[in-house]
Amino acid sequence: MTSIRNKLLVYFLAFVLLFNIVSYAIYFSSSQIVSEYHGSFERFLLFNEISQQSTQVYEKINAYVVEKDPVFIEEYQDIKKRLQKNNVRLQEDAITGINKEELEKYQRMIKNLLFESDLTIWAVRYDNLDQYTTHVKEVRNISSYILETTLQLLNFELAEYQIFYQEMEQRQHSFKWFAINLFSSTLLLALLTAVWFSKGLTNPLRNLSKAAKEVSAGNFDGPPIKVKTKDEVKVLSETFQNMRENIKQLVEEIKENVV
């Protein structure tokens, strides 16, 4: 026998499970969107940092050539380390929308920039005017190339981001209708479940109440009460049916004894 309490618990757990599944699906979809957006934003920041650091490399090298102050070398070394780390990130991060050959060419320019910068420092230390003049010009040119290439690569990333943004808009539109349909279907399902459950509970009780009124009026020949469910209501109806039959039999025995 399944009790009414157990039925209520099953229905409640079913709705809780349904909402948890839907909530997890929504969370998973939102996490994917946030992750993709975060990755794209990180790539924008990475290219921007590389562009700024390339410009700073030229500024520090040029300042060292002009003023011969070792402080600029220390500042250059710090920028160099950060630029090298960012160059490694270009290899490790998944850069979408950019041709692999273009990306490798971009990385070689960064390495050449640092190589020419080191040669410039070496030439200044040995007071080789022709050498450091040539190398510092190369540093300036490569820095300009990196800036131009960065803008091109950002355009590629923006094109890829535009596609992602359109997909995100479509997801948002689909999610809106999904939420509306989910609310409507859940409300309808809850109403149908409540009606079905209450019908299975109230109809037998109504029949029991009607039969009890007939018994109180002295009518013991009413139709048997049929209950399809296997719960407390069925036990109650069977008990009442047995009680009615016993009362009917008892009344007949009394009548026979009186006669």
Side-chain angles (χ1 to χ4, degrees):
M1 183 186 70
T2 304
S3 65
I4 297 176
R5 177 184 179 185
N6 291 338
K7 288 183 179 179
L8 290 174
L9 287 175
V10 170
Y11 298 150
F12 176 76
L13 291 176
F15 276 105
V16 169
L17 180 63
L18 175 63
F19 276 107
N20 284 336
I21 293 174
V22 173
S23 299
Y24 178 77
I26 294 174
Y27 170 77
F28 181 74
S29 179
S30 301
S31 297
Q32 279 188 321
I33 294 176
V34 172
S35 178
E36 291 176 10
Y37 176 79
H38 179 73
S40 181
F41 185 71
E42 285 292 324
R43 289 192 291 272
F44 288 142
L45 292 179
L46 177 59
F47 283 123
N48 183 60
E49 284 183 9
I50 291 175
S51 177
Q52 291 179 352
Q53 289 165 356
S54 301
T55 303
Q56 291 172 357
V57 164
Y58 169 69
E59 291 174 352
K60 300 304 177 184
I61 294 299
N62 187 62
Y64 177 67
V65 169
V66 174
E67 301 182 19
K68 308 295 190 298
D69 190 342
V71 173
F72 295 113
I73 299 300
E74 295 177 1
E75 295 175 351
Y76 160 73
Q77 293 296 337
D78 180 62
I79 299 171
K80 177 181 177 180
K81 291 179 182 178
R82 289 187 280 118
L83 184 55
Q84 287 175 330
K85 288 182 180 180
N86 285 334
N87 198 21
V88 172
R89 285 181 59 191
L90 288 174
Q91 297 175 347
E92 296 176 347
D93 293 354
I95 306 297
T96 58
I98 299 176
N99 185 277
K100 183 178 179 181
E101 294 180 358
E102 291 292 330
L103 187 59
E104 290 176 351
K105 180 181 177 181
Y106 186 70
Q107 291 177 295
R108 285 195 298 270
M109 282 194 292
I110 295 175
K111 293 178 180 178
N112 290 335
L113 174 69
L114 299 178
F115 179 71
E116 291 293 335
S117 299
D118 291 337
L119 290 178
T120 304
I121 295 173
W122 176 83
V124 171
R125 285 176 177 174
Y126 286 93
D127 200 22
N128 192 329
L129 179 61
D130 293 335
Q131 288 290 329
Y132 70 67
T133 301
T134 302
H135 290 306
V136 77
K137 288 181 180 179
E138 282 297 317
V139 172
R140 182 187 61 189
N141 293 335
I142 296 174
S143 177
S144 299
Y145 291 152
I146 290 176
L147 179 59
E148 294 175 3
T149 307
T150 301
L151 294 176
Q152 294 177 0
L153 296 179
L154 284 175
N155 286 332
F156 291 143
E157 276 291 317
L158 286 173
E160 188 72 17
Y161 179 79
Q162 186 176 7
I163 297 174
F164 164 70
Y165 182 76
Q166 292 174 353
E167 292 177 353
M168 188 169 61
E169 282 189 329
Q170 293 176 356
R171 288 184 186 180
Q172 185 179 5
H173 181 72
S174 301
F175 175 74
K176 181 183 70 174
W177 285 108
F178 172 76
I180 294 174
N181 293 330
L182 176 64
F183 175 78
S184 302
S185 60
T186 303
L187 180 61
L188 180 61
L189 180 62
L191 290 175
L192 291 176
T193 303
V195 171
W196 176 76
F197 181 78
S198 62
K199 184 178 179 181
L201 185 64
T202 56
N203 285 350
L205 291 177
R206 190 180 296 114
N207 293 333
L208 279 172
S209 176
K210 182 179 178 181
K213 289 179 181 179
E214 291 177 354
V215 170
S216 63
N219 181 15
F220 302 102
D221 296 324
I225 302 171
K226 298 181 180 180
V227 179
K228 296 180 180 180
T229 59
K230 296 180 180 180
D231 50 25
E232 291 87 348
V233 178
K234 183 175 180 64
V235 175
L236 180 62
S237 64
E238 292 176 349
T239 303
F240 178 82
Q241 185 69 24
N242 293 332
M243 182 187 68
R244 184 169 61 177
E245 293 293 334
N246 292 333
I247 294 175
K248 179 180 178 181
Q249 184 178 359
L250 180 61
V251 170
E252 291 177 354
E253 289 178 357
I254 293 174
K255 286 181 180 180
E256 291 178 358
N257 292 332
V258 170
V259 174

